[in-house]
C-alpha cells in the first residue's frame, strides 16, 4: 500500500548533481576561479563523502542524553560543518555566499535517468475499483525543508506529488534530528496506515533504499525492501553477518522497480502471474 523512497541515493544522482552545481558556483568565487574541474569534483566528493559517516555517528552519540548540540537541526548543521571541514582539508577560503550557494544546491539535485518515469508509472497504478494502488512517500535523511524542496524538482519532472515527506526533524533525544537506520526513523511510516493493526502494518510497506545501511535498516525493521544498487553487478553487504537481512529485491537501476512489482508498461496488460505480485 505504501512505497517509501530514500531520496538522495535511490532516486537522485546526488554526487554528480552537486559536482555540476559546484563547478559553476566555485568559478564565481575569487579564491577558486582557477580551480580545475578535477579539483572541484574532488572537493565535492570529499564533502559529500562525510554524509553517511555523519548520520551513523550522531545516532550513536545520542545515547549520551547530556551531550550538547550546536543546533537541533542536525541535517542542516551537518551540511555546514562538513563543508567547513572539507574547505579546511582542501585549503579553500570560500566566501560566505559561496558556501551558502553550495548548501542550497542540495535542494536542486537531478534524478537518475529513469526515476521520473518510474514514479509516473507507480503513481498511475490503480486497483480494480479505480483507486490508487500505492501511496508514494519520500523517507530520507534530511530535514523537511530540504527534502520537500528537493522533491519539488522531481515532482515537476514526473508530474506527480509525493503523499508525504518524512525527514529527520525532532525524532531524536531532546528534539534533535535522528537518522536512518535507527528504527525510530522508519516508524514514522506508521501514521500513513492508521487502519492497520500493529501486527501487520509493516508488511504493507516497501522501502526503496539506495545505501546499503538503509536497506539493512529497513529490512531489519520489518519492511519489504528493495535496494537500488545502481550497478550492473550488485553485491549486497549484510551488516548482520547472517545472510538473512538482504533486500527482497535488488535493482541494477531504479527503472526496474515497476517491473519488479508486476506493473505493465502503458501498452501492455499484466500477465496473471505478474498481477499476483502487485
Amino acid at each position: 500500500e505504501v512505497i517509501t523512497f530514500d531520496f538522495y541515493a535511490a532516486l537522485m544522482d546526488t554526487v554528480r548533481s552537486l559536482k555540476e552545481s559546484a563547478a559553476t558556483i566555485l568559478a564565481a568565487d575569487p579564491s577558486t576561479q582557477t580551480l580545475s574541474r578535477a579539483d572541484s569534483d574532488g572537493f565535492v566528493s570529499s564533502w559529500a563523502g562525510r554524509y553517511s559517516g555523519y548520520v551513523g555517528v550522531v545516532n550513536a552519540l545520542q545515547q549520551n542524553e547530556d551531550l550538547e548540540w550546536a543546533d537541533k537541526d542536525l541535517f542542516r548543521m551537518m551540511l555546514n560543518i562538513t563543508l567547513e571541514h572539507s574547505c579546511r582539508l582542501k585549503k579553500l577560503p570560500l566566501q560566505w555566499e559561496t558556501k551558502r550557494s553550495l548548501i542550497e544546491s542540495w535542494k536542486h539535485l537531478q534524478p537518475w535517468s529513469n526515476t521520473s518515469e518510474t514514479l509516473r508509472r507507480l503513481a498511475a497504478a490503480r486497483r480494480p475499483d479505480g483507486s490508487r494502488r500505492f501511496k508514494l512517500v519520500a523517507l530520507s535523511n534530511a530535514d523537511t525543508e530540504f527534502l520537500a524542496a528537493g522533491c519539488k524538482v522531481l515532482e515537476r519532472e514526473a508530474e506527480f506529488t509525493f503523499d508525504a515527506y518524512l525527514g529527520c526533524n525532532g525524532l531524536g533525544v531532546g528534539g534533535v534530528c535522528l537518522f536512518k537506520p535507527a528504527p525510530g526513523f522508519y516508524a514514522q511510516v506508521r501514521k500513513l496506515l492508521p487502519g492497520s493493526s500493529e501486527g501487520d502494518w509493516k508488511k504493507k510497506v516497501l522501502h526503496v533504499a539506495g545505501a546499503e545501511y538503509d536497506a539493512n535498516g529497513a529490512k531489519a525493521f520489518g519492511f519489504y525492501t528493495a535496494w537500488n544498487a545502481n550497478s550492473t553487478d550488485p553485491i549486497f553487504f549484510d551488516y548482520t553477518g547472517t545472510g538473512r537481512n538482504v533486500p527482497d529485491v535488488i535493482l541494477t537501476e531504479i527503472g526496474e522497480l515497476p517491473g519488479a512489482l508486476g506493473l505493465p508498461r502503458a501498452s501492455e496488460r499484466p500477465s496473471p502471474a505478474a498481477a499476483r505480485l502487485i
Side-chain angles (χ1 to χ4, degrees), residues 98-170:
T98 301
K99 295 175 182 177
R100 188 188 72 82
S101 295
L102 288 170
I103 289 170
E104 287 294 305
S105 69
W106 284 75
K107 296 179 179 178
H108 306 286
L109 305 173
Q110 296 303 308
W112 299 110
S113 60
N114 288 318
T115 295
S116 296
E117 177 60 21
T118 293
L119 292 173
R120 194 177 294 117
R121 290 174 64 189
L122 294 175
R126 292 292 185 268
R127 295 188 176 93
D129 65 3
S131 63
R132 288 177 57 205
R133 186 78 189 183
F134 308 114
K135 292 180 180 178
L136 304 180
V137 178
L139 181 71
S140 205
N141 280 341
D143 67 16
T144 305
E145 176 190 338
F146 273 78
L147 183 56
C151 285
K152 295 304 178 189
V153 176
L154 184 56
E155 289 170 335
R156 285 194 297 270
E157 185 171 317
E159 301 176 321
F160 91 111
T161 302
F162 282 105
D163 292 280
Y165 312 104
L166 301 180
C168 61
N169 303 69

Side-chain angles (χ1 to χ4, degrees), residues 34 59 64 67 88 101 176 194 210 215 218 227 238 241-242 246 256 265:
T34 60
N59 281 353
N64 179 358
L67 191 66
R88 292 197 299 271
S101 295
V176 301
W227 175 46
D238 180 354
T242 64
V246 299
E256 296 172 350
R265 295 190 179 277

Side-chain angles (χ1 to χ4, degrees), residues 6 8 48-62 69 74-76 78-79 81-82 106 140-143 168 177-182 185-186 211 213-214 239:
D6 173 70
Y8 291 116
R50 306 287 298 182
Y51 176 89
S52 296
Y54 179 90
V55 299
V57 170
V58 297
N59 281 353
L61 289 178
Q62 290 184 45
W69 300 91
L74 299 186
F75 177 78
R76 182 181 290 273
M78 178 272 294
L79 293 181
I81 64 177
T82 56
W106 284 75
S140 205
N141 280 341
D143 67 16
C168 61
C177 286
L178 184 73
F179 300 99
K180 295 179 292 184
F185 198 102
Y186 302 106
Y213 73 81
D214 184 16
Y239 280 58

